Every structure is written in structure tokens, then in C-alpha cells.
Amino acid sequence: MLGLKKHDLSLLIIVAILTMAAPFLLNPFPTESGMAQFNAGYPDLMQKFVIFGIFAIGFNILFGLTGYLSFGHAAFLGVGSYACVWMFKLLGYNVLPGILLSIVVSGLFALLIGVITLRRSGIYFSILTLAFAQMSFALAYSVLSNPKFNLTNGETGLQVYADDPQWFHSDRLPDLPHLFGLSMRATHRMELGAWEFQFNVGYYMCAVIMLLCFYLAIRIFRSPFGLMLRAVKSNQQRMNYTGLNSRPYTLAAFVISGMYAGLAGGLLSAVDPLAGAERMQWTASGEVVLMTILGGAGTLIGPVLGAGLIKYFENIFSKINESVLHGWFGFLPDGLEDFVITLVYPFVGKGWHLTLGVIFMLVVIFLPGGLVEGGQRIGRLFRGKKPSGAAKSATTEPAE
Amino acid sequence: MGILEVKNVNKRFGGLQALGDVNLSVAENTVHAIIGPNGAGKSTLLNVLVGKLIPDTGSVMFDGQSVLGRKPYEINQMGISRVFQTPEIFGDLTVMENMMIACFAQRDGAFRMHAVGSMWSERDIVATAEDMLESMNLQDKRDMHSASMSRGDKRRLEIAMCLAQSPRLLLLDEPTAGMSRSDTNNTIDLLKKIKQDRDITIAIIEHDMHVVFSLAERITVLAQGTPLVEDTPEKIKGHPKVREAYLGESQVAA
Ligand SMILES: Nc1ncnc2c1ncn2[C@@H]1O[C@H](COP(=O)(O)OP(=O)(O)OP(=O)(O)O)[C@@H](O)[C@H]1O
Ligand SMILES: [Mg+2]
């Protein structure tokens, strides 16, 4: 069905079920309980999960398949964000034109950068992409923001002002991003005993788009084109002496992944109509590399898992402060309590990067295949030593 | 005029004259062996033929067209396939996937955006790839990671991939190096059969004289980058210059 083999189809279905049920799955703790702060089922974070999932899925098409490690993909994310906000400013708050334009503009931008950077491979390619992204950042941050020609609105970030044209805006429509009148912020809250679940329009729109992106990625992975991309990674020499021109293949992969990134950027603006230059910074480019490697580069589901894990840490672990720790370890004798908290404290709150770093190191050293490999190993343990090649069991992990 | 005409080719690496005034003519539909001691410049010559190296001077014509200045993939598309001295295959991929890549390259050319359908739904490609594997006796290893095969199997896979492209000129750089005696004999039989079945010209570099004398119709002896003699196998066997420069002692008997 859908042109997929059985095990890819079941993977797609599982991911679809998990993303659709995410508002329930990510809120396992009752609202009033002490564990409620670990709930991730609120719109803002769920949107990030799927949007960065798209970013990472696209990045994986380039990095996972061809092995070309781009350190500049945030530039496309940023370009997509700006393009979308510009559509808000010019046309109005319907997200559709903005999302479409963000894909087109980032695709063209990726074509330009790809033609230049793909002349080199390996570390030189990475450095070139990094240089381009930093140039884009500088352009967005200062150069393209001056009174005569203000494309990016510099440090403040690009946003919609009251005197913007918004040609197609009418009073009947929400004064915030919407899809044909359906506001991205609209959230239905459902109380169920001690639990509360939130169903947000912006999340569901992004989730459906992510599923489409995921489906497309599966098709690319299994296509002759995908096979050629894997050939690029495996042995470019053999490829060239087999009569294949690797350059257009890598360029196509680069542009496709740039379009995914642009789409993700457009969606970020769609759920929050403010585009800042910091989205293009090298840390943002590095983040998607971490997501992909953490989840499992070259696997289908890995990047989505990696994106979820990192966003979860960024938003949940960073909220744990000292008083929360005192709450947890209050049962210990005073001296011991202080000691334990001193030990734990650097790893939570602002120190969440430290925990992430440790996890990243452990994964790279012990699970080079990322979380997906971890899941496969666990799956194998449970199933006994059945021949491998069966469905990637990692999908049973939370859909974060 | 041979299908391959090499004229006055020179190549220097710093102070080393790797190829010095090489002239070589390979007649169509023959097996032409190039032999010579280690470091004679045999692989360097092949590198020039496939566009990996650009010679300092000289010309290389394939079927009346110059190959110099063309990219490796363009030269391959002209009809020249090469098996390398150390096997070059797609190690991360399965044997079948390796084969399919060669078949796609043969059918679709240097680039084709073909990203929607599944690769397994390309029935003609799958069928050709499976046939080729069978003819090389690799069908049992179909789903194996190609990097985990023995060196001899890798070489056979590489030969199969080159043949799948129906090249007009096949360049083999020590195809039996690292093979057992029986695998070597199988390869000899295989190459003989290929030669019978299709119109193909083969240029083979080989240290194993048993292989050379079983296959070659003409032999060029290369020493220190320069062709010493070119002749039929019978003449080469007894040639004093060759004995002196290369065959030396015991190998003549082999
Ligand atoms: N890219 C290169 N740069 C510098 N020197 C090179 C290069 N390629 C080959 N050489 C040198 O050129 C000479 C010829 O090398 P080549 O590989 O052609 O020899 P060969 O006849 O194939 O030997 P063998 O039988 O050992 O494979 C050698 O001395 C080698 O070190
Ligand atoms: Mg050699």
C-alpha cells in the first residue's frame, strides 16, 4: 500500500499513530502531581518536536544517505522562517502561501550554496557550508537590515506590524497565523480525571506535514535515487568509474534537504510569527547534526527520535531548578541532601547541555547507530536471537 | 587502427618517470596483456586510460575519440570499464545492491532523478542483476554485505559489475591477485567464456604467468615506464630482453 513494503508501511503507521496520539502519550502525569513538570504534551513543545523532526528528516537525506556533513543547514531554516513572515506581512496571516514560499526560497538558496560547496567533499565541504551559514547569519543580523533596505529587521527579528500591507487580510480572519480561518493557537483542552490534554491546531497541522515528509523520505530511501545516494557515501570512486556522475546526485540531495529545512523554518514562523537571525546561527546547525547522530544517521526514524530527545531536554530538563531538587531529595538527611543536590545540580536547569553532552558521548561510543541501534538491541534481547532485518523495533519508543 | 591507441604518453611524478614514451595499440576483440615488474607503471597507464590521471604529453584515443580531458564517468560511458588492483566496490551495500547500481548506470546513464518508485519495482534491473550474479556464482551471497566477502568474491563482484555495463573495452588490473588456485582457474574460464560470448576487448595486467599465457593473444612488456617489447605469447616466452628485465628465473617455467 502507498507504494511501501510491509515493514516500511508498519513503521509509517506506528509513527502516524504516535504523532496523532501525542497529546495523550506525552502527558502521562496528572496535572497536580509532582511529576507534571515532565509532561511534554503542551502545544509549544509538541510543535517543536514535529517541526525539528522535519528538519532532521531532511538533514538525514543528505547526511545519512550521502555522508556529506553540512554544518550550515540552519541557514535554510532561517531563510524559510523569513520567507514565511514576509508572506504574513504582504498577503496576510494565512500560513499556506508562507509555507509554500519558504520551501521554494530555501530550495533556490540551497541550489546556489550547493553548487559552490559540493565542489569539495569531507571536512572541506563541512567548513564551506559552515562559512556560508555564518555569512547568511551576518547578512540577516546586520547587513540586510538597514533603513533603506530592511529585509530581516536585524536583532529585533522580522515580525508583522500594523502598517504592513496584508493585502488579503480581512476583519473576519484571526489576527494571528491561521489556516483558512483556523487559528494556529486554537487549542481544545480536555479534562480527564486528574489529567488534562491539549489538542492544538498548529501542532496537528505540523504533525500531518511531518508525516507527509516522513512518507516522502521513506520513498526516497527506497528509490533508485536513494540507492545512488548511498553509493555516494560508500565509494565515490567506484561510482565515477561505473559511469555515474555523483555531483548532480549530491546536489539534488542537498537541495531536497535544504527544502525540508526551509519548510521547518516556515512552520516555526507559522506557529509563532517572529523570525530572528539566531535561527541561522552555527549552534542551530550543530543541533540538527546532533539530533541526526543521536537518533541514528541513515535510519528512517532515528532523526525524529533524536530531534524529540534534544527538544525534550532543552525544554524539560532546563526547567528543573534547585527548589525542585530540594523537593525530590527532601527525604534525605540534611547533609546528604545538600551533597546529592550539589552533585546533581550542574546537570539540570541551565546545565542541561551537560547532560545532553554526556548522553551524546555515551551514544556515539556505545551505540554508533544511535537510539535506533539501541532499540534494535533491546528488541533482539526480547525476541531471542531471531534473524535481524525485521522491523526496526525502536519505533516503540515514545514519539517525542 | 586498434580500438585503443596510446601515443607517446609521458607521466612524471616529481623526479620519477612513471611512464616514458608509451605507445600501445590494442586491437578490437582481442585479449591484450600488459606485464612487467612491480612499479613498472602498469597501473599508472590504466589510470591514464580511465581519466584518473592526465598524462604530461601524448594522446589516448578510444574508438577514434580522445579520452584525455574527459571525466572518469564520461570515459566509462564511452565504453571503458575498469576492475581495480584493490577491489573497489560499494562496501556498505549488499552484493545485489552493488549489482543493481551497475545496471542502473548502464540503463539510465550518468544521472537520472528517479526518486519516487521503489528500486525493487524495476523488474528489468532486478532480473539483469540476478542473472549477472548467477553467472558469477554469487547468487548465494546476494544479500550479504559486500565488504564482508572474501577478496576473491569482491573481485568477482567487481568484474560482474563491469560486465553488466557491456563495456567495449574491459581493463583488468591483476584480477586474480589474492585468489586461490581454483578461483584463479575459474576466473580464467570465466574470462574465456565472456570473450566467446560477446564482442569485447580486454586489456589485462597480471603477474600470474599462468593466467597471462592462458588468455592473452598479445603481450606488452613494460619496464620502468617504457614498453620493452610487444609480441605474441610464444615469442614473449623466449625473448631474451624479457627474461632479463622481468621473467628472470623460475617464472618462465610456470
Ligand atoms: N599518484 C602517484 N604519485 C606518485 N607516485 C606514483 C603515483 N602512482 C604511482 N606512482 C609511482 O609510479 C610508479 C609506477 O607505479 P604503478 O602503480 O603504475 O606500478 P605497477 O606497474 O602497477 O606496479 P605493481 O605491479 O606493484 O602494481 C611507482 O614507482 C609508484 O610508486
Ligand atoms: Mg599496479
Side-chain angles (χ1 to χ4, degrees):
Chain A
M1 207 177 76
L2 293 171
L4 297 184
K5 283 211 172 175
K6 209 173 125 220
H7 109 239
D8 289 336
L9 186 67
S10 37
L11 181 67
L12 181 66
I13 290 173
I14 291 170
V15 173
I17 293 173
L18 292 178
T19 42
M20 288 301 128
F24 293 109
L25 300 172
L26 296 176
N27 261 2
F29 307 111
T31 323
E32 296 302 321
S33 74
M35 297 296 277
Q37 60 182 311
F38 288 106
N39 281 341
Y42 55 95
D44 187 42
L45 184 52
M46 288 196 298
Q47 288 163 359
K48 283 204 182 117
F49 285 157
V50 284
I51 292 174
F52 281 90
I54 293 172
F55 191 18
I57 291 171
F59 186 78
N60 189 41
I61 291 176
L62 179 70
F63 175 55
L65 289 181
T66 70
Y68 275 72
L69 178 55
S70 162
F71 262 112
H73 257 49
F76 308 124
L77 189 83
V79 165
S81 293
Y82 283 123
C84 187
V85 176
W86 266 111
M87 285 290 98
F88 293 159
K89 287 166 84 74
L90 295 177
L91 303 184
Y93 268 129
N94 193 328
V95 296
L96 206 58
I99 292 173
L100 292 179
L101 188 75
S102 63
I103 301 175
V104 172
V105 172
S106 57
L108 292 174
F109 193 49
L111 184 65
L112 175 76
I113 293 188
V115 166
I116 301 167
T117 55
L118 287 166
R119 303 177 69 86
R120 289 274 169 271
S121 59
I123 187 79
Y124 300 100
F125 168 79
S126 303
I127 297 293
L128 278 175
T129 51
L130 177 63
F132 264 102
Q134 282 304 84
M135 275 158 58
S136 311
F137 170 69
L139 282 174
Y141 194 77
S142 52
V143 182
L144 294 179
S145 152
N146 55 62
K148 278 197 212 118
F149 182 71
N150 192 350
L151 198 62
T152 60
N153 210 21
E155 208 178 333
T156 324
L158 191 66
Q159 50 190 300
V160 181
Y161 293 112
D163 58 349
D164 282 330
Q166 296 209 295
W167 290 312
F168 296 101
H169 192 65
S170 73
D171 293 339
R172 285 178 297 109
L173 293 169
D175 211 15
L176 274 175
H178 63 83
L179 185 67
F180 301 111
L182 206 57
S183 171
M184 290 294 122
R185 297 258 168 100
T187 304
H188 174 72
R189 285 164 194 277
M190 184 168 108
E191 305 267 353
L192 213 69
W195 284 267
E196 189 195 67
F197 303 108
Q198 304 183 32
F199 303 89
N200 168 260
V201 171
Y203 168 72
Y204 274 101
M205 184 189 77
C206 296
V208 168
I209 294 177
M210 189 208 77
L211 287 175
L212 286 175
C213 287
F214 187 60
Y215 170 67
L216 193 66
I218 300 181
R219 294 292 293 252
I220 290 176
F221 266 61
R222 304 297 181 228
S223 72
F225 173 69
L227 178 67
M228 294 304 170
L229 296 186
R230 287 189 288 146
V232 170
K233 181 178 182 176
S234 182
N235 189 341
Q236 262 197 65
Q237 161 127 322
R238 178 29 86 200
M239 204 175 166
N240 290 330
Y241 295 103
T242 308
L244 294 160
N245 188 359
S246 53
R247 187 76 67 77
Y249 282 107
T250 47
L251 184 61
F254 192 82
V255 171
I256 291 172
S257 76
M259 289 164 84
Y260 268 76
L263 170 62
L267 291 176
L268 281 177
S269 295
V271 295
D272 182 13
L274 171 73
E278 75 288 342
R279 266 184 203 158
M280 294 183 151
Q281 229 169 349
W282 66 273
T283 45
S285 296
E287 196 180 58
V288 74
V289 179
L290 293 192
M291 288 171 177
T292 309
I293 293 177
L294 198 58
T299 64
L300 283 166
I301 190 66
V304 185
L305 295 178
L309 190 77
I310 287 185
K311 286 295 154 193
Y312 186 82
F313 265 83
E314 185 185 289
N315 290 275
I316 302 291
F317 253 67
S318 61
K319 276 192 295 199
I320 303 172
N321 56 25
E322 212 162 343
S323 65
V324 174
L325 289 181
H326 276 291
W328 289 353
F329 297 110
F331 64 93
L332 295 171
D334 267 355
L336 191 58
E337 179 186 342
D338 287 341
F339 178 69
V340 170
I341 290 179
T342 317
L343 279 188
V344 175
Y345 187 66
F347 291 90
V348 297
K350 289 205 179 80
W352 70 273
H353 277 115
L354 211 55
T355 316
L356 186 65
V358 171
I359 294 184
F360 188 73
M361 280 195 314
L362 291 177
V363 165
V364 170
I365 294 169
F366 295 107
L367 290 175
L371 296 178
V372 167
E373 188 185 332
Q376 281 167 339
R377 284 199 199 166
I378 294 170
R380 239 171 282 150
L381 272 183
F382 276 110
R383 262 179 281 131
K385 281 221 177 76
K386 270 217 302 210
S388 64
K392 294 201 167 55
S393 46
T395 50
T396 47
E397 290 179 16
E400 298 150 4
Chain B
M1 273 287 279
I3 189 168
L4 181 73
E5 294 283 342
V6 178
K7 292 244 165 67
N8 302 320
V9 162
N10 281 280
K11 181 74 198 176
R12 277 187 164 278
F13 295 116
L16 178 81
Q17 182 90 33
L19 295 175
D21 265 331
V22 176
N23 287 289
L24 179 72
S25 172
V26 178
E28 191 157 6
N29 292 333
T30 58
V31 179
H32 195 124
I34 300 165
I35 63 174
N38 290 110
K42 306 179 295 293
S43 298
T44 305
L45 179 59
L46 286 205
N47 287 342
V48 167
L49 300 184
V50 298
K52 192 174 181 181
L53 284 178
I54 297 175
D56 303 330
T57 63
S59 70
V60 178
M61 305 291 277
F62 174 69
D63 198 23
Q65 284 183 299
S66 174
V67 307
L68 297 185
R70 289 182 203 251
K71 300 240 169 62
Y73 75 87
E74 293 169 328
I75 295 174
N76 175 280
Q77 295 281 352
M78 289 168 80
I80 303 181
S81 285
R82 172 177 182 183
V83 173
F84 284 80
Q85 188 163 358
T86 41
E88 291 279 356
I89 52 175
F90 301 107
D92 302 334
L93 309 184
T94 67
V95 172
M96 181 64 178
E97 286 168 339
N98 269 270
M99 242 6 266
M100 286 174 73
I101 289 172
C103 295
F104 276 120
Q106 159 72 6
R107 194 192 70 181
D108 297 342
F111 173 71
R112 180 169 170 199
M113 193 68 199
H114 201 328
V116 186
S118 159
M119 58 188 259
W120 299 107
S121 62
E122 305 278 340
R123 293 189 195 288
D124 55 329
I125 297 282
V126 173
T128 325
E130 272 171 349
D131 284 352
M132 285 307 302
L133 287 185
E134 206 149 322
S135 72
M136 285 286 162
N137 235 333
L138 284 169
Q139 68 273 31
D140 300 340
K141 311 216 158 64
R142 186 182 185 278
D143 296 314
M144 219 166 136
H145 231 216
S146 65
S148 58
M149 295 196 299
S150 71
R151 199 180 157 108
D153 282 347
K154 285 181 188 165
R155 191 42 62 46
R156 287 222 301 274
L157 173 60
E158 198 182 2
I159 295 175
M161 287 166 71
C162 286
L163 289 176
Q165 296 200 280
S166 315
R168 298 182 55 206
L169 174 62
L170 179 63
L171 305 173
L172 301 164
D173 199 343
E174 301 189 27
T176 65
M179 280 192 193
S180 65
R181 185 95 303 228
S182 68
D183 274 347
T184 301
N185 286 331
N186 286 339
T187 307
I188 294 173
D189 294 342
L190 179 88
L191 290 173
K192 278 184 175 158
K193 186 166 175 309
I194 292 164
K195 193 68 209 22
Q196 252 170 26
D197 292 352
R198 31 172 126 191
D199 285 341
I200 190 170
T201 312
I202 298 177
I204 178 172
I205 292 175
E206 193 48 81
H207 282 297
D208 186 335
M209 287 306 129
H210 171 58
V211 179
V212 172
F213 290 121
S214 325
L215 289 167
E217 291 154 65
R218 283 201 79 80
I219 298 177
T220 296
V221 182
L222 210 61
Q224 285 159 19
T226 311
L228 274 184
V229 275
E230 188 201 307
D231 220 322
T232 59
E234 294 70 35
K235 297 263 176 58
I236 291 287
K237 264 185 200 169
H239 206 289
K241 253 183 166 176
V242 178
R243 284 168 177 273
E244 181 193 313
Y246 178 54
L247 298 175
E249 328 82 50
S250 57
Q251 282 196 313
V252 189

